[in-house]
Amino acid sequence: MFKLKLPTDPRWANIAEGNIEEILTDHAWCEQKAATNAIGLITMLPEYPEIVTELLAIAQEELEHFGQVHEIIKKRGYTFGRTRKDDYVNELVNFIQKGGNRDDLIVDKMLFAAMIEARSCERFKVLTENIKDEELKTFYRELMISEANHYTTFIGFARQLGDEEKVNKRWEEWLEYEAKIIQSYGKGESIHG
């Protein structure tokens, strides 16, 4: 569905399961950042009330996910750590087109969001299929579905706001770029690491 060029090595789930406390903290902050990103997009699109409504729903859902992860952390007696730098996301930010016109920037920011949702969904699937923790298997299966829906929404907005052929071409560029950078990840105790 996502056409990611390089799948996550399933052994990453073993790394993740080796330090669930760290993964959950990192994941919680990823959800908070996703909510913030959706709110940022809202500020760029006041003239599109239907898109604003959908982005608001995504922001609320991401905050709900943040709360769910935070509750798991508390329930398990873990410590909720400080926010983490996400090198993967920062490398994706570097690929957002600079200059150009406002519409192209908005489309690229939608594709940026779609890329993060696609990779997150794929990572949640790897966790679902490879960890032993039954509670987290169920939790990540549910989130996987949500992330897939967010991916579809962001891709749809990009195609609605831009020329579909140009958007599809740019999405292929995003996929190629992401395949290059993701080679450096999948070895750390973080959702994108």
Side-chain angles (χ1 to χ4, degrees):
M1 173 178 165
F2 307 123
K3 298 193 221 171
L4 295 172
K5 306 283 185 189
L6 185 64
T8 297
D9 185 328
R11 292 176 292 186
W12 168 77
N14 298 330
I15 296 167
E17 199 163 31
N19 194 347
I20 291 294
E21 183 173 6
E22 180 63 26
I23 286 292
L24 288 170
T25 291
D26 181 70
H27 177 199
W29 288 115
C30 287
E31 297 292 353
Q32 180 273 327
K33 291 170 190 171
T36 301
N37 186 59
I39 292 167
L41 287 168
I42 288 170
T43 67
M44 298 178 77
L45 297 162
E47 69 273 28
Y48 295 98
E50 299 83 17
I51 293 177
V52 168
T53 298
E54 190 64 33
L55 288 171
L56 180 57
I58 288 172
Q60 290 169 329
E61 189 172 356
E62 299 288 17
L63 279 178
E64 183 180 306
H65 294 164
F66 174 86
Q68 290 171 328
V69 179
H70 187 249
E71 285 303 314
I72 292 170
I73 291 168
K74 290 190 322 186
K75 183 175 93 176
R76 291 181 176 214
Y78 295 156
T79 300
F80 179 51
R82 293 190 179 277
T83 187
R84 273 84 166 126
K85 182 179 171 190
D86 193 327
D87 292 327
Y88 167 80
V89 170
N90 290 336
E91 286 195 61
L92 290 180
V93 166
N94 291 334
F95 196 64
I96 295 173
Q97 292 180 345
K98 310 298 187 275
N101 65 45
R102 177 180 178 268
D103 293 339
D104 289 342
L105 175 62
I106 291 170
V107 166
D108 232 33
K109 287 192 172 222
M110 291 293 180
L111 296 177
F112 162 79
M115 181 57 68
I116 294 170
E117 298 290 347
R119 182 56 72 182
S120 297
C121 180
E122 188 257 1
R123 288 285 169 98
F124 294 163
K125 184 175 190 289
V126 169
L127 287 173
T128 298
E129 293 173 347
N130 294 285
I131 63 174
K132 296 175 184 72
D133 187 311
E134 291 300 323
E135 178 189 24
L136 291 180
K137 272 187 182 193
T138 301
F139 178 64
Y140 280 112
R141 186 175 298 111
E142 291 168 5
L143 288 188
M144 180 180 68
I145 294 164
S146 176
E147 301 297 310
N149 288 335
H150 295 169
Y151 157 81
T152 302
T153 300
F154 285 121
I155 286 283
F157 287 158
R159 290 179 178 141
Q160 177 183 340
L161 295 167
D163 174 75
E164 189 167 347
E165 188 175 315
K166 281 176 59 177
V167 169
N168 291 340
K169 181 177 182 285
R170 182 64 178 152
W171 180 242
E172 287 300 321
E173 293 170 0
W174 272 97
L175 290 167
E176 291 294 331
Y177 177 76
E178 197 267 354
K180 289 176 188 160
I181 67 168
I182 200 65
Q183 293 175 38
S184 302
Y185 298 94
K187 301 166 188 81
E189 297 166 332
S190 64
I191 294 299
H192 300 123

